[in-house]
Amino acid sequence: MTRAAGLERLAAFLDDGAAEYAGSRNFDLGPEGRSTTSALSPYLRRRLITEAEVVAAAISAFGDEGAERFVSEIFWRTYFKGHLETHPTAWTDYLALAAEGHERLAAEPGLRRTYAAAIEGRTGIDCFDAWSSELVETGWLHNHARMWFASIWIFTLRLPWALGADFFMRHLVDGDPASNTLSWRWVAGLHTRGKHYVARAENIRRYTDGRFDPVGLDEYPDALDEPMPPREVALPPAGDAEPEGKVALLLHLDDLHPESLPLGAARVACVGGFVAHADGASDLVRAADEAAMADALVRAEAYFGCPASLIEKDWFGGLPIVTAWAPVGPSAMVLPQGCLRLRRAWDEQAWPLATGGYSRLRKAIPRLI
């Protein structure tokens, strides 16, 4: 999991897959099949590559019109992050519901059996069981499969949505707190109230190219309803004022491209990094996180010309600590007190447009890029 690998994947996608993206992106051809998506999300999740450079590369290769569908999907990631920044209780509520769900598993044998069958791929629903195994074994699922999986989890198996979101966060190598939490809420009908996503057998047969023929799906469920929707709060200020003189730069898993931060290279006297995994993260996720951080520290040491390593006590030598903005999620929850946070222009311009539905941000894409 390195920046070089992300750039290589981007180049391969632009050379071989991007031209067909709009028409093929909904097809899940399986782990052995040709990818119909860019598969850039593990790198974007950690900002080993940035949204801005990916969008610029796509437009350069295919023009505004040719890249439109792909660029819109990149902005969905930005939308989810901005929405969670202004609705942080969606994250804390999810954590509380997941903890409550695990308590229920300990107390309710029937729920525990259904949950175990789901995460072990033993439900008898062919597609769901295959996706469950694929997720655990590879750390990956096609985006369309994620939606079908979540819908079956919620509406057919009647399992708590937060336990499903927790299962994804433990195993997805691109597990993003905002995209994951809000996508599960959207499938359930909680993000856009009453508008839920229902997995239908015919749709699955079509977009898996006939690999699956699921039976027993509940195709006419009601959306979930929770009495207290996430509360909206004001977007936090753009960032803290930068101190004068030398600083210590702190890296976290939400932003591992320090070379493009709005910070003069000559001012950085040392670089430290810390890794905050999702609770219960799988070995695959932990290995990807640690490899990404190691790569960022090597690049930072070369770029800034100063020592770079995982943080230890007093690593910053008394200097002011500057860090890239950590959006709502595990990194932000454990960020050391007193850090001066820098928010990228990409987020600063887009996040204020992400407080409601996606359409407001989507309409602004032409001027944002």
Side-chain angles (χ1 to χ4, degrees):
M1 186 62 60
T2 65
R3 172 168 168 79
L7 292 173
E8 182 178 345
R9 177 60 200 161
L10 173 60
F13 172 66
L14 295 177
D15 287 344
D16 189 42
E20 302 173 6
Y21 177 81
S24 65
R25 68 186 183 89
N26 283 330
F27 283 87
D28 173 20
L29 303 180
E32 306 302 324
R34 179 176 178 272
S35 177
T36 59
T37 66
S38 71
L40 290 170
S41 53
Y43 308 100
L44 287 165
R45 183 266 176 271
R46 299 169 177 85
R47 267 189 174 156
L48 288 164
I49 56 177
T50 69
E51 298 90 338
E53 66 183 323
V54 170
V55 166
I59 292 175
S60 176
F62 299 102
D64 291 340
E65 185 175 346
E68 182 179 7
R69 180 72 265 179
F70 176 66
V71 169
S72 180
E73 292 303 313
I74 296 293
F75 270 92
W76 265 105
R77 174 177 297 274
T78 300
Y79 163 74
F80 281 137
K81 284 192 176 293
H83 195 88
L84 198 61
E85 286 298 292
T86 54
H87 297 77
T89 56
W91 170 252
T92 53
D93 288 350
Y94 148 67
L95 293 177
L97 287 169
E100 177 185 305
H102 282 288
E103 291 175 359
R104 288 183 59 194
L105 292 177
E108 301 176 29
L111 180 67
R112 185 165 63 249
R113 284 193 294 271
T114 303
Y115 174 81
I119 66 172
E120 294 168 9
R122 298 185 288 101
T123 67
I125 302 171
D126 59 358
C127 56
F128 186 94
D129 291 346
W131 292 326
S132 188
S133 298
E134 181 182 348
L135 172 61
V136 172
E137 292 169 8
T138 71
W140 178 261
L141 281 182
H142 186 285
N143 185 61
H144 208 169
R146 299 182 197 200
M147 295 164 59
W148 289 318
F149 185 101
S151 181
I152 295 169
W153 179 285
I154 295 167
F155 299 121
T156 296
L157 299 178
R158 302 290 196 272
L159 287 166
W161 74 265
L163 283 180
D166 174 70
F167 180 50
F168 270 22
M169 279 300 294
R170 290 169 185 263
H171 290 284
L172 284 171
V173 294
D174 66 347
D176 177 83
S179 295
N180 188 63
T181 303
L182 298 181
S183 291
W184 274 83
R185 289 183 57 84
W186 181 80
V187 169
L190 300 172
H191 183 70
T192 303
R193 305 294 288 184
K195 184 178 180 181
H196 53 320
Y197 178 81
V198 180
R200 303 191 187 282
E202 175 54 33
N203 186 264
I204 293 171
R205 282 193 293 269
R206 176 185 176 188
Y207 286 106
T208 62
D209 203 23
R211 290 189 301 122
F212 300 116
D213 187 18
V215 295
L217 304 186
D218 186 345
E219 299 192 12
Y220 300 96
D222 293 326
L224 299 189
D225 184 35
E226 292 181 1
M228 290 294 291
R231 297 183 302 277
E232 183 174 339
V233 301
L235 188 67
D240 300 305
E242 292 184 41
E244 296 182 358
K246 295 286 188 178
V247 298
L249 177 61
L250 179 61
L251 303 183
H252 53 73
L253 288 177
D254 289 280
D255 199 313
L256 293 178
H257 191 230
E259 302 96 317
S260 63
L261 286 173
L263 187 66
R267 297 185 55 207
V268 177
C270 61
V271 179
F274 73 96
V275 176
H277 309 288
D279 286 346
S282 70
D283 290 344
L284 284 174
V285 172
R286 290 176 177 273
D289 286 343
E290 289 160 8
M293 177 59 72
D295 176 67
L297 289 170
V298 169
R299 286 184 285 107
E301 184 166 295
Y303 181 78
F304 294 109
C306 66
S309 62
L310 294 175
I311 60 173
E312 299 178 351
K313 185 177 181 180
D314 299 327
W315 68 276
F316 55 95
L319 292 170
I321 302 174
V322 175
T323 190
W325 193 275
V328 171
S331 293
M333 292 173 69
V334 297
L335 200 67
Q337 294 293 321
C339 292
L340 305 174
R341 302 168 298 167
L342 303 177
R343 194 148 74 210
R344 291 180 182 270
W346 179 275
D347 300 330
E348 181 62 19
Q349 294 168 9
W351 284 359
L353 305 175
T355 57
Y358 177 63
S359 61
R360 184 182 177 206
L361 178 58
R362 178 180 55 77
K363 293 174 183 177
I365 289 175
R367 67 176 174 83
L368 292 176
I369 58 178

